[in-house]
Amino acid sequence: MNFEARRQSILNQMAENSLLILYSGTPIHISADAYHHFEANKHFYYLTGLRRENMILVLRKSENGNQSMLYIEKSDPNAERWTGKMVTVEEAKSISGIDDVRFTASFQAQLDYLLGSSTLSTCYFDCYRHQQSDLPDYNLAKAQQFAAEHPGITVRNLWPMAAKLRMQKDEDEVALTEHAIDITDKALQRVLTTLEPGMKEYQAQANFEHMVHYLGAEGPSFPTIAGSGKNGCMLHYETNRDTCQDGTLLLLDLGVRYQGYCSDITRTYPVSGKFSERQRKVYEIVLKANKEVAAQAKPGMTTKELNEICKKVLTQGCMELGLIDKEEDIGKYYMHGVSHHLGLDVHDVTVEGVKLAPGSIITDEPGLYIDEWEIGIRIEDDLLITEDGCRVLSAAIIKEPDEIEAFMANR
Ligand SMILES: [Mn+2]
C-alpha cells in the first residue's frame, strides 16, 4: 500500500513549520496482569502499515523540506521470549517506506532538540474523543501533556485531515474489504447449512465465527448479533443465548476483519428454512428498500439523502401492510439510519458535510422491527461508490427469499 502518498497528503495539509506526533498507543489494562487485545491507533496504521504498540510517527514540515521519522522499540530478546518477536528496523523500513527509523529511547531528546532549535509554531496530535465522558485516549493525553508543557506552540487536531483521507478508499483498501466480504459470505453459508429449529443463537454465532478464523481472517469486526424472533427487533442484541424457535426468523448482523479492513453484513433467515407468508411480505419491503438505496447511491449524495430514499420505500410498505396510517409513524418500525461509512472502523470516520465520492465504502442496511409480530428484519450490504453510481461489493451473498429457501432445502 502507498503509505508514502498518504503521509505526503497529510504533510501537504499541515501548516508551515509544524510537526505531527502520532503514537500507535499502548495496550489497555483490564485487571491484575491482563490487558485488552491491542489495537493500534487507526490513523497510525493507515499512515505506516504498522500496528504494534509503543511506536511513534513524526512528520516535520519546514522550509528546509519535509521529513518522516518513525520511532520503534529496540528489540529485546528477553521480552521477545514472553510476548513474541518485535518489529526490526529493517521490517519497519520496508513496511512503512520510511527510511529514518529510530529507537523510542531517543525520542524525547530529539523532540527537545527540534523544539529548541526551530521556529516551530504548530504541533498536530490525534485529539479524537468519542464522548466527553470518556477518559482521553493515549494520543489525546499526550497532546494535553504537550500543550501544558509548551504553551507557546499551537496544538492542532490531526483527526479531520486523516478522517477525510480515510473516507476515500484506494484500490488496495477496496481489495482487502472485498476479501473480508468474501469470507463473510462463506461463513454465512456455513450458518445457512447448519441452521435448524432448537439451535441456540450462540451456536449460529459459533458456526459463523469458526469459519471466520478457519478462513484466515483476524476475527469478527464487531460482536456478532444473532437475534431470533423478537430478539431480532433489538438493534444491539448481543447476548445470543435464546433458542431459535421453529417458525421464527434469525437476524444475523456480523462482519469480518481482514488486515484491519471490516465487512459489515446483515442477513435474516427463516429458522425452519421457509418464510411464512407474513414474514415474506415484510422481507420483500426491506429488500425493496435495500435495492432502491443501491440503485440511487452515487457521488455527491449524503447518507442522509439515502436514508430518505429508504424511508420512503419502508413507509409505503408499512402503509400497505396496515401497520401505519401516517407517514410520520414509520419511526415506530424503523429507527436507525440506512448507511454509514466502512473501513478500518466498522462505523468508519466521517467528516460532517463531506459527500459521497468515488472510493467511499458505505453500508446499505434498511430494516423493519415489528415487536407485535415478533418479526425483526434487516438486510445489509456494503457498497463502493463509483464514478456514476455504486457497486454492491456483497452482491454474492444471497438475499432473495427464493434463493435462501432453495439453499436451505438443498443443503
Ligand atoms: Mn452496519
Side-chain angles (χ1 to χ4, degrees):
M1 283 203 258
N2 200 344
F3 304 111
E4 172 61 31
R6 295 177 189 172
R7 290 191 295 270
Q8 196 52 54
S9 169
I10 294 292
L11 277 162
N12 290 343
Q13 298 176 65
M14 285 166 61
E16 287 308 319
N17 291 315
S18 66
L19 209 59
L20 161 73
I21 303 176
L22 182 61
Y23 296 84
S24 69
T26 58
I28 292 165
H29 183 234
I30 303 174
S31 179
D33 63 349
Y35 286 83
H36 280 287
H37 161 77
F38 177 68
E39 285 272 346
N41 176 284
K42 297 288 164 69
H43 299 327
F44 183 90
Y45 178 51
Y46 182 76
L47 294 173
T48 63
L50 294 161
R51 35 182 181 164
R52 297 291 285 267
E53 60 267 38
N54 302 323
M55 294 183 170
I56 312 165
L57 171 69
V58 175
L59 300 183
R60 186 186 183 200
K61 182 167 179 171
S62 74
E63 55 265 31
N64 303 324
N66 298 337
Q67 242 182 310
S68 297
M69 289 161 273
L70 181 68
Y71 292 83
I72 67 170
E73 286 182 298
K74 197 169 186 170
S75 64
D76 167 4
N78 188 45
E80 289 185 334
R81 161 81 59 208
W82 291 89
T83 51
K85 244 188 74 42
M86 294 161 79
V87 176
T88 65
V89 171
E90 283 314 311
E91 287 165 341
K93 278 185 189 177
S94 87
I95 293 168
S96 68
I98 297 174
D99 296 326
D100 190 348
V101 177
R102 310 174 183 201
F103 294 120
T104 44
S106 67
F107 172 70
Q108 192 56 50
Q110 279 167 6
L111 180 61
D112 290 344
Y113 170 77
L114 281 178
L115 294 172
S117 65
S118 74
T119 49
L120 195 76
S121 62
T122 308
C123 197
Y124 293 84
F125 289 86
D126 182 3
C127 302
Y128 181 76
R129 184 182 257 176
H130 182 55
Q131 296 186 88
Q132 275 311 314
S133 56
D134 291 344
L135 285 174
D137 283 349
Y138 191 80
N139 276 282
L140 178 55
K142 289 288 187 183
Q144 290 170 340
Q145 188 188 342
F146 183 93
E149 288 170 3
H150 306 281
I153 296 174
T154 309
V155 169
R156 287 175 72 176
N157 192 359
L158 161 74
W159 194 89
M161 298 193 295
K164 193 150 183 264
L165 263 190
R166 280 174 53 189
M167 286 178 77
Q168 263 65 67
K169 276 70 183 172
D170 60 30
E171 266 175 42
D172 295 321
E173 295 180 288
V174 172
L176 291 172
T177 308
E178 285 184 299
H179 195 75
I181 291 169
D182 184 47
I183 292 175
T184 314
D185 184 12
K186 294 191 169 91
L188 270 173
Q189 286 181 36
R190 178 83 193 141
V191 176
L192 266 184
T193 305
T194 49
L195 180 61
E196 57 180 13
M199 195 176 214
K200 291 289 186 183
E201 294 161 341
Y202 56 69
Q203 291 179 306
Q205 173 191 354
N207 285 335
F208 172 74
E209 291 179 6
H210 160 77
M211 287 304 283
V212 170
H213 290 287
Y214 185 81
L215 294 169
E218 284 156 42
S221 52
F222 57 91
T224 298
I225 295 171
S228 64
K230 63 181 185 328
N231 297 334
C233 298
M234 210 181 303
L235 299 179
H236 288 165
Y237 177 75
E238 284 175 14
T239 47
N240 302 347
R241 272 186 222 116
D242 275 357
T243 303
C244 302
Q245 303 289 354
D246 199 1
T248 64
L249 298 174
L250 176 64
L251 184 153
L252 296 151
D253 186 346
L254 35 76
V256 167
R257 192 185 295 275
Y258 187 78
Q259 286 188 31
Y261 286 84
C262 301
S263 66
D264 184 6
I265 300 291
T266 309
R267 289 293 184 266
T268 308
Y269 300 137
V271 170
S272 66
K274 237 181 144 27
F275 290 93
S276 73
E277 206 180 308
R278 178 184 263 177
Q279 288 165 348
R280 191 184 260 257
K281 273 189 182 152
V282 180
Y283 192 96
E284 298 279 10
I285 294 166
V286 178
L287 187 58
K288 191 174 173 197
N290 165 276
K291 289 179 180 172
E292 190 60 25
V293 167
Q296 296 207 35
K298 60 170 195 256
M301 291 181 88
T302 62
T303 51
K304 213 172 159 202
E305 287 171 309
L306 290 179
N307 199 39
E308 291 308 313
I309 290 164
C310 166
K311 265 164 90 170
K312 226 171 154 180
V313 177
L314 296 178
T315 304
Q316 165 108 35
C318 284
M319 287 173 91
E320 279 167 16
L321 284 180
L323 283 164
I324 55 171
D325 303 320
K326 300 188 297 261
E327 280 181 28
E328 53 268 35
D329 291 342
I330 188 62
K332 188 180 170 200
Y333 297 107
Y334 173 67
M335 58 298 283
H336 55 78
V338 76
S339 189
H340 57 81
H341 284 257
L342 188 65
L344 290 172
D345 287 303
V346 178
H347 291 169
D348 207 31
V349 288
T350 309
V351 179
E352 199 74 42
V354 173
K355 299 192 166 162
L356 298 180
S360 305
I361 297 182
I362 59 168
T363 62
D364 168 8
E365 50 179 314
L368 285 174
Y369 311 95
I370 309 166
D371 288 327
E372 56 270 37
W373 292 350
E374 299 199 348
I375 292 179
I377 296 173
R378 180 162 62 253
I379 303 170
E380 177 177 24
D381 283 309
D382 300 337
L383 314 179
L384 170 68
I385 302 297
T386 57
E387 292 297 329
D388 54 359
C390 79
R391 184 152 67 82
V392 183
L393 298 178
S394 50
I397 305 179
I398 60 169
K399 62 182 175 184
E400 295 295 329
D402 287 342
E403 284 179 331
I404 292 169
E405 289 183 350
F407 188 101
M408 293 181 80
N410 296 323
R411 56 195 173 165

